[in-house]
């Protein structure tokens, strides 16, 4: 049988590769972005209750109405903007499905899509499968700021979509109000759709604001904003998320959504609707993860890595230029095999494997695990 790959350049994801290596060599796995602690017991109880109460069949295609209403209230409370729960919010099987659906629904063969690198690994295959042409701009290390002049030089009437991500995986950088103003200006000038990946919405530190595309009128009217329950409520395995977009974009989004998954996990949606009644469940997350970041940073004070404390997400970058000349993949292999800690090489977030000698650690782990890993890393 002859098959031609539609994704000839795509292999096994670096997260799976590094997690497998961590298992093989018994290393502490700070590679993949998932917590090693349980979701709230309240939330788990609510899921169980929803099942027992009989919420076990297909949910409505756009999502359970009570959950969409809760999300609309939450958005209005946090960002002072209105989103119609019926026509502007769709519940998805994680943010990955929301991102894929948005790209599939809204780009056409030959469209240019602006992608800022380093970037999360699901964007490029989705663009490629849909015949889009990624146009890359790199953030400026070591603080991973955005070069708006370079971005403007890459935009044209061919640009149909701009993908943004804040708080940013893998760097932890946050978009500022000034970045949002720049994007608003360019979006009006070049008239593209914005796909805003905001899965770490509640993980911003030191009192910073999360700058959502929903807060900026010039962006809100042209944005699909993707969120993840898994990332913020410690249940990545439940694969639940949502997409917020104006009615016209949501209509196109749902045309694809209904044939990709039709609808998402019913009992979990009912449980989340009840859980979100208490804003503390998400408002306390910033402190919770900031404390974890600080546990990791304290355990690394005597290490030789160059570290700029991350501003958001549950990822911390370490620069190892003063420790080794190895490329970042070889360095991560050595780290796992010889020092017992698995990390992610940042070059895997660039299409051209650009390597500035950074590795990414996930600190959504127990304090004890973080301290142990810090001790091992300090031996280098
Ligand atoms: C930036 C970013 N977007 C999207 C996702 C996927 O989220 P979900 O697990 O809800 O599909 C991740 C997961 O790591 C991520 O880091």
């Amino acid at each position: 049988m002859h098959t031609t790959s539609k994704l000839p350049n795509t292999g096994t994801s670096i997260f799976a590769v590094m997690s497998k290596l961590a298992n093989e060599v018994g290393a502490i796995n700070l590679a993949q972005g998932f917590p090693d602690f349980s979701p709230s017991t309240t939330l788990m109880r609510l899921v169980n209750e929803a099942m027992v109460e009989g919420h076990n069949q297909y949910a409505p295609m756009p999502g359970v109405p009570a959950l969409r209403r809760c999300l609309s209230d939450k958005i209005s409370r946090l960002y002072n903007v209105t989103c119609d729960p019926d026509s502007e919010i769709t519940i998805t099987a994680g943010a990955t499905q929301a991102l894929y659906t948005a790209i599939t629904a809204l780009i056409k063969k030959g469209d240019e899509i602006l992608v800022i690198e380093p970037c999360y690994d699901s964007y490029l295959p989705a663009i490629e499968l849909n015949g889009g042409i990624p146009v890359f701009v790199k953030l400026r290390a070591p603080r991973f700021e955005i070069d708006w002049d370079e971005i403007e030089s890459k935009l044209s009437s061919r640009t149909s979509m701009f993908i943004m991500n804040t708080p940013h995986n893998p760097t932890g950088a946050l978009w500022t109000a000034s970045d949002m103003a720049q994007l608003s200006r360019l979006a009006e000038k070049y008239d593209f759709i914005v796909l805003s990946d905001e899965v770490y919405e509640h993980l911003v530190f030191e009192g910073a604001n999360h700058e959502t595309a929903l807060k900026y009128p010039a962006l809100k009217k042209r944005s699909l904003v993707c969120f993840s329950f898994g990332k913020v409520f410690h249940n990545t395995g439940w694969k639940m998320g949502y997409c917020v977009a104006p009615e016209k974009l949501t209509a196109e989004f749902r045309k694809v959504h209904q044939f990709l998954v039709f609808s998402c996990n019913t009992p979990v949606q009912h449980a989340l609707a009840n859980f979100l009644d208490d804003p503390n469940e998400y408002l306390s997350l910033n402190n919770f993860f900031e404390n974890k970041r600080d546990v990791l940073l304290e355990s690394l004070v005597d290490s030789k890595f160059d570290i700029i404390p991350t501003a958001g997400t549950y990822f911390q970058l370490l620069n190892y230029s003063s420790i080794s000349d190895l490329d970042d993949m070889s360095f991560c292999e050595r780290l796992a095999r010889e020092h017992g800690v698995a990390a992610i090489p940042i070059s895997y977030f660039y299409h051209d494997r650009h390597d500035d000698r950074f590795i990414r650690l996930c600190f959504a782990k127990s304090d004890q695990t973080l301290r142990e890993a810090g001790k091992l890393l300090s031996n280098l």
Side-chain angles (χ1 to χ4, degrees):
M1 189 176 66
H2 178 72
T3 54
T4 311
S5 174
K6 293 181 89 173
L7 291 173
N9 303 318
T10 303
T12 310
S13 94
I14 188 66
F15 309 107
V17 170
M18 292 314 296
S19 287
K20 185 165 173 271
L21 179 62
N23 285 340
E24 273 167 23
V25 301
I28 298 178
N29 188 355
L30 299 193
Q32 211 168 353
F34 64 88
D36 72 351
F37 39 86
S38 295
S40 141
T41 47
T42 311
L43 180 54
M44 292 195 283
R45 178 176 51 74
L46 288 168
V47 174
N48 190 34
E49 280 171 14
M51 288 179 179
V52 173
E53 281 161 16
H55 297 297
N56 298 302
Q57 308 310 328
Y58 291 128
M61 182 273 280
V64 165
L67 177 57
R68 286 184 282 129
R69 276 196 302 276
C70 279
L71 293 170
S72 164
D73 292 347
K74 172 175 179 265
I75 290 165
S76 136
R77 204 179 307 122
L78 290 180
Y79 306 120
N80 203 19
V81 286
T82 33
C83 293
D84 179 41
D86 292 331
S87 59
E88 298 185 321
I89 300 179
T90 310
I91 309 299
T92 60
T96 310
Q97 186 237 311
L99 292 162
Y100 186 84
T101 304
I103 291 169
T104 303
L106 290 153
I107 71 163
K108 291 184 290 302
K109 193 162 183 277
D111 282 356
E112 290 188 4
I113 324 294
L114 195 121
V115 179
I116 298 178
E117 289 188 312
C119 69
Y120 180 60
D121 67 346
S122 83
Y123 309 154
L124 291 184
I127 293 171
E128 200 177 336
L129 282 170
N130 285 289
I133 302 167
V135 175
F136 298 103
V137 175
K138 289 186 173 72
L139 294 172
R140 283 184 314 215
R143 291 194 174 270
F144 295 96
E145 290 135 345
I146 303 167
D147 182 336
W148 284 104
D149 289 334
E150 189 184 353
I151 288 200
E152 182 152 15
S153 74
K154 301 276 178 84
L155 298 172
S156 71
S157 55
R158 293 183 302 279
T159 313
S160 77
M161 184 179 273
F162 186 115
I163 303 185
M164 61 173 282
N165 169 215
T166 185
H168 182 252
N169 178 10
T171 67
L174 304 180
W175 280 49
T176 62
S178 144
D179 292 324
M180 301 307 272
Q182 291 278 16
L183 182 62
S184 300
R185 179 180 67 80
L186 296 176
E188 295 283 27
K189 184 166 167 188
Y190 294 96
D191 198 23
F192 45 70
I193 290 170
V194 173
L195 179 57
S196 187
D197 179 345
E198 302 184 15
V199 299
Y200 301 100
E201 172 191 22
H202 296 302
L203 280 63
V204 296
F205 309 140
E206 291 168 23
N209 285 328
H210 168 57
E211 297 294 345
T212 172
L214 297 172
K215 240 171 43 180
Y216 294 83
L219 299 180
K220 182 172 184 281
K221 66 180 184 193
R222 60 178 71 249
S223 293
L224 298 111
V225 188
C226 300
F227 298 94
S228 168
F229 293 112
K231 286 291 174 184
V232 291
F233 293 137
H234 328 314
N235 50 39
T236 56
W238 296 4
K239 290 303 299 182
M240 293 294 288
Y242 55 105
C243 175
V244 182
E247 183 166 359
K248 220 168 132 202
L249 294 179
T250 293
E252 294 307 313
F253 181 94
R254 288 181 182 172
K255 284 182 193 171
V256 176
H257 174 78
Q258 67 183 334
F259 296 115
L260 210 48
V261 288
F262 179 64
S263 68
C264 301
N265 192 304
T266 309
V268 171
Q269 292 192 58
H270 283 275
L272 284 167
N274 286 327
F275 189 66
L276 286 169
D277 259 356
D278 179 3
N280 284 326
E281 295 292 0
Y282 50 86
L283 295 180
S284 59
L285 292 165
N286 291 332
N287 278 343
F288 177 79
F289 280 108
E290 187 172 331
N291 286 339
K292 295 227 164 274
R293 177 199 69 169
D294 292 345
V295 169
L296 177 65
L297 291 178
E298 276 159 28
S299 71
L300 288 168
V301 276
D302 294 326
S303 83
K304 293 203 193 71
F305 289 99
D306 282 326
I307 306 174
I308 299 175
T310 193
T313 72
Y314 46 49
F315 303 116
Q316 176 65 57
L317 291 194
L318 310 187
N319 188 286
Y320 63 88
S321 327
S322 54
I323 299 176
S324 166
D325 286 334
L326 287 175
D327 64 81
D328 63 1
M329 183 62 192
S330 308
F331 185 77
C332 283
E333 274 172 3
R334 199 186 115 197
L335 209 57
R337 289 184 195 284
E338 295 174 21
H339 297 274
V341 179
I344 296 286
I346 292 305
S347 64
Y348 278 73
F349 293 78
Y350 291 94
H351 75 287
D352 59 0
R353 296 281 180 266
H354 177 82
D355 185 352
D356 282 324
R357 308 289 190 258
F358 282 100
I359 60 168
R360 190 196 79 176
L361 304 181
C362 170
F363 55 82
K365 308 291 168 190
S366 73
D367 291 359
Q368 194 194 339
T369 304
L370 294 174
R371 287 196 187 99
E372 274 170 35
K375 210 164 143 194
L376 293 169
L377 291 167
S378 301
N379 291 334
L380 268 98

